[in-house]
Amino acid sequence: MEPAVSLAVCALLFLLWVRLKGLEFVLIHQRWVFVCLFLLPLSLIFDIYYYVRAWVVFKLSSAPRLHEQRVRDIQKQVREWKEQGSKTFMCTGRPGWLTVSLRVGKYKKTHKNIMINLMDILEVDTKKQFFPWLQPQIVRVEPLVTMGQVTALLTSIGWTLPVLPELDDLTVGGLIMGTGIESSSHKYGLFQHICTAYELVLADGSFVRCTPSENSDLFYAVPWSCGTLGFLVAAEIRIIPAKKYVKLRFEPVRGLEAICAKFTHESQRQENHFVEGLLYSLDEAVIMTGVMTDEAEPSKLNSIGNYYKPWFFKHVENYLKTNREGLEYIPLRHYYHRHTRSIFWELQDIIPFGNNPIFRYLFGWMVPPKISLLKLTQGETLRKLYEQHHVVQDMLVPMKCLQQALHTFQNDIHVYPIWLCPFILPSQPGLVHPKGNEAELYIDIGAYGEPRVKHFEARSCMRQLEKFVRSVHGFQMLYADCYMNREEFWEMFDGSLYHKLREKLGCQDAFPEVYDKICKAARH
């Protein structure tokens, strides 16, 4: 009888606490209970399953044999859709909660879902290493291959991608149809710029391969199109030789002018393999520059990816607090996924004590929870609260506008830390290119967290920020909430080639326009 009484008392106290604090407060600030007890173990099981599956598939070389069969199945589904009258738009059948984007894809419920079960690495071609006059070495992959799969395989055989975006669960398809960036992008550009070929199933069910010299219009129009020109079924991506470590320098910088000048200077130096900045306030930052190396000083080796290590952004902040420069050697794969365990710094809002040494040693091996599971268990109330009281945005602006942009971020949303990542933007056809006819240095300003600006209102504040980005010929990453109207959207992005191809390939009755798929003004 006593246990039942105790349980009843606990339940009553919990209900009183909810009544006192409010349900919204409990959902937002005590979510860690559910995450720690359920989502962390479940995420670990998912990771183990997919890692073992990928390893077995690659060792048995079964993926290339099955790939053509799977592509034919996709073609069959598209042709059946046409035979049935093409009554609705098509989209991939992958559930919306599985994507890394925080946006909820409601169109999945009304569009024809085409099932695309393509999640394997098909081929790694390193033979051309011995024949440098041939095409670059490449890895050929299916669209649902993740960055975690890619690094696990390539680094084990001494290769890597020139641009390897941060989070483990990011997929090749998402990085091509959307975009991707990493701290090496000042040398190599965005993820799309290291791709050498795309293979797609089009609106009529036909198969096409496109490269810069073959079906080039389609090749340049696919990036940022969000699956509205066809279904991606494979991609070929450049690879380069990898080294064991990244020799990483940490330099605290104070004063906004000094931060912008230093960051611009380091981003222009091609001898830097990696350049990244973390801005902790408007006038405090740590700028990091790195080079790949096979040699390391044992006393300065830091395996930052080990589960018991401090979260990377907290580790970096120590250099700012102690006002000292630093030099560390970080294993290459650890460096690539340095922000994964803390999901940059988003996990501190979900598990506030997650960086505590006791938690790291006892439970850090299960971190992070999968973003897809966080979305699946979010609930409508919490989703709306996050939408109104939380910002996840990446804005791409010319490097020459960095100081002005940081002031605008401070005034409109006031979120810190801010991620700074430079990239070179080539002058190529497509939705995103510089204003002039020459390549230009840009910067990704990433803001993730709870805005601290007074009277924050998501729609008005974000529209103000989007207006600034348009005014400097910048771009907004399309995984995030976008509040522009149609005219403003096409002012930001160059739709000339995109619209031409949609008409030519019969996409207008097969796929929604990219604006209708991602912008809030079109979805509500």
Side-chain angles (χ1 to χ4, degrees), residues 194-311:
I194 64 167
C195 295
T196 61
Y198 307 128
E199 298 172 17
L200 298 102
V201 172
L202 301 180
D204 61 357
S206 62
F207 171 86
V208 65
R209 184 176 187 269
C210 55
T211 71
S213 58
E214 177 187 5
N215 299 310
S216 59
D217 279 357
L218 183 58
F219 177 81
Y220 290 116
V222 163
W224 295 74
S225 66
C226 298
T228 59
L229 293 174
F231 294 109
L232 184 70
V233 294
E236 294 177 12
I237 310 167
R238 283 180 57 198
I239 57 176
I240 58 175
K243 296 187 177 181
K244 294 180 180 178
Y245 306 102
V246 173
K247 181 181 180 181
L248 193 63
R249 296 186 181 276
F250 302 80
E251 183 174 349
V253 185
R254 286 180 166 81
L256 184 57
E257 286 190 17
I259 291 169
C260 295
K262 176 68 174 175
F263 194 80
T264 302
H265 173 70
E266 295 296 348
S267 301
Q268 293 170 336
R269 296 180 63 201
Q270 291 300 297
E271 56 264 40
N272 287 328
H273 296 165
F274 306 99
V275 179
E276 175 185 27
L278 293 184
L279 193 73
Y280 291 91
S281 71
L282 191 58
D283 58 359
E284 292 181 312
V286 177
I287 295 173
M288 291 158 278
T289 56
V291 295
M292 283 196 286
T293 178
D294 282 323
E295 306 296 330
E297 300 175 46
S299 62
K300 296 180 179 179
L301 182 63
N302 183 7
S303 299
I304 194 69
N306 288 342
Y307 69 87
Y308 51 83
K309 288 284 189 173
W311 289 347

Side-chain angles (χ1 to χ4, degrees), residues 162-441:
V163 177
L164 206 152
E166 174 63 38
L167 299 178
D168 280 18
D169 290 343
L170 293 171
T171 64
V172 168
L175 295 168
I176 291 171
M177 291 297 183
T179 194
I181 192 171
E182 185 43 271
S183 54
S184 56
S185 287
H186 68 294
K187 288 172 66 73
Y188 298 104
L190 299 172
F191 190 82
Q192 69 203 59
H193 300 126
I194 64 167
C195 295
T196 61
Y198 307 128
E199 298 172 17
L200 298 102
V201 172
L202 301 180
D204 61 357
S206 62
F207 171 86
V208 65
R209 184 176 187 269
C210 55
T211 71
S213 58
E214 177 187 5
N215 299 310
S216 59
D217 279 357
L218 183 58
F219 177 81
Y220 290 116
V222 163
W224 295 74
S225 66
C226 298
T228 59
L229 293 174
F231 294 109
L232 184 70
V233 294
E236 294 177 12
I237 310 167
R238 283 180 57 198
I239 57 176
I240 58 175
K243 296 187 177 181
K244 294 180 180 178
Y245 306 102
V246 173
K247 181 181 180 181
L248 193 63
R249 296 186 181 276
F250 302 80
E251 183 174 349
V253 185
R254 286 180 166 81
L256 184 57
E257 286 190 17
I259 291 169
C260 295
K262 176 68 174 175
F263 194 80
T264 302
H265 173 70
E266 295 296 348
S267 301
Q268 293 170 336
R269 296 180 63 201
Q270 291 300 297
E271 56 264 40
N272 287 328
H273 296 165
F274 306 99
V275 179
E276 175 185 27
L278 293 184
L279 193 73
Y280 291 91
S281 71
L282 191 58
D283 58 359
E284 292 181 312
V286 177
I287 295 173
M288 291 158 278
T289 56
V291 295
M292 283 196 286
T293 178
D294 282 323
E295 306 296 330
E297 300 175 46
S299 62
K300 296 180 179 179
L301 182 63
N302 183 7
S303 299
I304 194 69
N306 288 342
Y307 69 87
Y308 51 83
K309 288 284 189 173
W311 289 347
F312 185 72
F313 80 97
K314 287 293 188 183
H315 174 66
V316 173
E317 190 176 19
N318 284 333
Y319 285 103
L320 185 66
K321 289 180 176 179
T322 57
N323 197 31
R324 62 185 176 90
E325 297 182 8
L327 174 65
E328 297 177 359
Y329 294 84
I330 300 176
L332 180 63
R333 190 159 189 256
H334 289 218
Y335 176 79
Y336 279 140
H337 300 292
R338 63 201 178 280
H339 292 297
T340 293
R341 288 190 300 124
S342 56
I343 316 177
F344 281 85
W345 31 92
E346 289 279 67
L347 197 57
Q348 68 179 350
D349 292 334
I350 300 171
I351 308 177
F353 48 82
N355 194 47
N356 183 284
I358 297 174
F359 181 87
R360 293 200 312 264
Y361 274 91
L362 292 178
F363 304 107
W365 51 278
M366 291 191 290
V367 167
K370 297 189 84 63
I371 296 174
S372 55
L373 294 180
L374 289 172
K375 283 178 63 178
L376 180 63
T377 59
Q378 192 174 42
E380 189 65 19
T381 300
L382 187 57
R383 187 191 66 78
K384 289 181 178 178
L385 288 170
Y386 263 80
E387 187 177 296
Q388 288 300 320
H389 304 289
H390 200 84
V391 165
V392 179
Q393 291 284 347
D394 283 86
M395 299 293 187
L396 315 181
V397 300
M399 182 68 78
K400 62 189 177 187
C401 303
L402 176 58
Q403 187 168 337
Q404 184 185 1
L406 293 178
H407 272 296
T408 303
F409 270 72
Q410 164 91 359
N411 295 335
D412 288 346
I413 56 176
H414 198 137
V415 170
Y416 292 101
I418 281 178
W419 189 52
L420 303 177
C421 185
F423 69 98
I424 191 72
L425 185 60
S427 181
Q428 295 176 348
L431 286 159
V432 171
H433 56 75
K435 192 172 185 178
N437 295 321
E438 296 181 357
E440 185 174 352
L441 189 62

